[in-house]
């Protein structure tokens, strides 16, 4: 069942012919047990797009029950049939590109062009990739003692809990659900209550293409209630979380009760190092994409630009000019390059870092406020902001998660490495150089889960994604993730029917 548009008279929401607003539990769209509602807000004008059902602890319990019941037949289904459903879903998402892009744009503030060129195609690719991998998760045969056969199977875990943040809801939902389902797990997923619409739409498409009831359950609710219950639920065997480091820590503590497997994709403070021999125009454009794409709301954002002192002035002149020319506007306008931040609370948080920077002697080179334009004043905008800061300053150490980048200079490779590795995080890192030896030496020594050389923020479902240090552990995507969503079972066979040499009488 689909609930009709609740978007009121806002013409921006006119294309919202229908939007699902209920919880998906056991293949049915249902209200929350308590009947609570959460308003999802359009960050461009602060209006309510829709009121969605609020899942609380009791709803999570029902979702887990449904997933547990669905797991035996889902996990025993031929792997290629599970794969086929994921491939059908990928096709259906591709057909739905325009509508999904529209929903993502009004719910998150992502520019529609980005949604059409990146978010939706990457989502399709992800479901397709893992649809193809479903029947390729092979076990192994281990050479053991003569007369014995030892084989190792990879088995799904059971019910997995997935908690998704608000910055890339459509894409991150695919990163989590596609491999978990390909491996044969049943899923209980909680999108952020700030941006639930595309996850609900994916739920509709999943039902349409024939996923069995209970295999995927969607619980839209708050972190401290529904999220907390997913983390401590005794029947959930694994949890995959993307979000802040503080919440990641809480999840680890809550998961200890039944010793869940935990995979955490947390914050980052990506160093983006430009050496003196870099292709400067490429580095300028790539660095702008690294920090300003999606309004900087990306864990892998290149939020610390480090410039060799000999090219710093040249780079900064071009980079500040580019930042100042980025077109802020309505996410639904195809000309918009930067939309509003996803929530008002987050806009305030990001802007508060401007004062933090100034208190420690930081110099704002550009931005540092919302736009002057009256047309944009009801949106949660922050202008592209560049701050010159010391590497020990808070703004160069803490994740700001907005269109806010710090810049500083370094003298040589050794100093560059020291500064790059000076934060607690270790997610993405990038460097720009024409020197192949230097590039690989830096890649070897950077404290990071991912390194980009002469590019930034490249991702692909075949390549493992995740961090080290306080950026979390475990990996999404790549073949590694199939190990995250399965566990090894070692089976011993006494082929020669040998009698053990012990206790013989
Ligand atoms: P959170 O980590 O609080 O939120 C991420 C998700 O976790 C949301 O779905 C949230 O639900 C849920 N959650 C919150 N508390 C709990 C809990 N106790 N148990 C289980 N789930 C919970 O991030 P914020 O949205 O508060 O953003 C704060 C900062 O975190 C950002 O400024 C950024 O630095 C970082 N962040 C990093 C992300 C990344 O991609 N690595 C993504 C998002 C944020 P609810 O929305 O109801 O709180």
């Amino acid at each position: 069942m689909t609930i009709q548009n609740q978007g009121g008279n806002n013409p921006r929401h006119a294309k919202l012919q229908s939007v699902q607003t209920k919880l998906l539990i056991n293949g049915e769209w249902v209200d929350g047990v308590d009947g609570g509602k959460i308003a999802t807000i359009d960050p461009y004008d602060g209006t309510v797009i829709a009121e969605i059902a609020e899942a609380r602890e009791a709803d999570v319990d029902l979702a887990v029950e449904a997933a547990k019941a669905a797991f035996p037949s889902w996990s025993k289904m031929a792997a290629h049939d599970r794969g086929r459903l994921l491939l059908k879903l990928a096709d259906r998402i591709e057909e739905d590109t325009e509508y999904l892009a529209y929903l993502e744009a009004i719910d998150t503030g992502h520019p529609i062009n980005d949604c059409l060129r990146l978010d939706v195609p990457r989502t399709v690719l992800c479901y397709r990739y893992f649809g193809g991998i479903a029947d390729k998760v092979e076990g192994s045969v281990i050479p053991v003692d003569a007369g014995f056969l030892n084989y190792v199977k990879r088995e799904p875990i059971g019910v997995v809990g997935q908690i998704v943040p608000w910055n890339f809801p459509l894409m991150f939902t695919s990163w989590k659900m596609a491999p978990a389902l390909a491996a044969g797990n049943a899923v209980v997923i909680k999108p952020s209550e700030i941006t639930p619409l595309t996850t609900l739409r994916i739920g509709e498409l999943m039902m349409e293409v024939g996923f069995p009831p209970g295999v995927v359950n969607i619980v839209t609710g708050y972190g401290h209630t529904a999220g907390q219950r997913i983390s401590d639920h005794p029947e959930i065997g694994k949890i995959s979380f993307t979000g802040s480091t503080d919440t990641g820590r809480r999840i680890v503590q809550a998961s200890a009760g039944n010793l869940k497997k935990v995979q955490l994709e947390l914050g980052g403070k990506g160093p983006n190092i430009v050496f003196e021999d870099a292709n400067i125009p490429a580095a300028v454009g790539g660095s702008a994409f690294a920090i300003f794409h999606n309004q900087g709301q990306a864990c892998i954002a290149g939020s610390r630009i480090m410039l060799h002192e000999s090219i710093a002035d040249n780079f900064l002149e071009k980079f500040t000019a580019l930042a100042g020319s980025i077109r802020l506007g309505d996410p639904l306008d195809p000309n918009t390059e930067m939309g509003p931040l996803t929530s008002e609370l987050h806009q305030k948080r990001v802007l508060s870092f401007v004062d933090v920077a100034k208190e420690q002697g930081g110099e704002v080179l550009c931005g540092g406020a919302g736009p002057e334009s009256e047309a944009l004043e009801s949106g949660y905008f922050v202008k592209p902001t560049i701050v010159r800061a010391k590497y020990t300053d808070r703004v160069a150490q803490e994740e700001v998660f907005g269109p806010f980048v710090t810049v500083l200079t370094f003298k040589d490779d050794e100093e560059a490495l020291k500064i790059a590795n000076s934060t607690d995080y270790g997610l993405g890192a990038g460097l720009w150089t024409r020197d192949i030896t230097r590039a690989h030496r830096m890649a070897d020594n950077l404290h990071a889960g991912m390194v980009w050389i002469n590019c930034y923020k490249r991702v692909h479902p075949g390549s493992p994604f995740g961090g080290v240090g306080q950026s979390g552990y475990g990996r999404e995507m790549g073949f590694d993730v199939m190990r995250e969503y399965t566990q090894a079972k070692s089976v011993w066979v006494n082929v020669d029917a040998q009698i053990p040499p012990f206790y013989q009488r």
Side-chain angles (χ1 to χ4, degrees), residues 57 86 113 235 243 249 251 415 417 420 422:
E57 291 85 342
L86 288 163
N113 245 337
E235 305 275 8
R249 261 190 217 103
I251 286 174
E415 192 186 13
L417 198 59
S422 69

Side-chain angles (χ1 to χ4, degrees), residues 292-304:
F292 297 133
H293 168 246
N294 199 30
Q295 294 74 255
Q297 302 168 126
C299 44
I300 54 173
S303 52
R304 291 185 291 152

Side-chain angles (χ1 to χ4, degrees), residues 163-167 172 190-194 221-224 227-228 231 241-244 247 250-251 265-267 299 346 349 399-401:
I163 300 177
V164 187
W166 43 263
N167 53 330
F172 283 175
K190 186 190 98 59
S192 165
E193 81 286 346
I194 300 171
Y222 293 107
H224 63 279
Q228 184 71 25
S231 317
F241 171 75
T242 302
S244 65
T247 305
R250 273 202 294 281
I251 286 174
E265 202 276 274
L266 308 174
C299 44
H346 191 56
R349 183 176 181 275
E399 185 173 47
V400 178
F401 216 64

Side-chain angles (χ1 to χ4, degrees), residues 319-336:
F319 187 66
T320 44
L322 196 161
S325 74
I326 290 175
R327 292 188 297 273
L328 275 63
D330 182 346
L332 293 179
D333 180 344
N335 290 315
T336 293

Side-chain angles (χ1 to χ4, degrees), residues 347-366:
Q347 178 202 32
K348 291 203 169 97
R349 183 176 181 275
V350 170
L351 287 174
S352 74
F353 275 99
V354 176
D355 294 330
V356 171
K358 287 180 185 162
E359 275 160 25
Q360 294 190 295
E363 183 193 353
V364 178
L365 302 181
C366 106

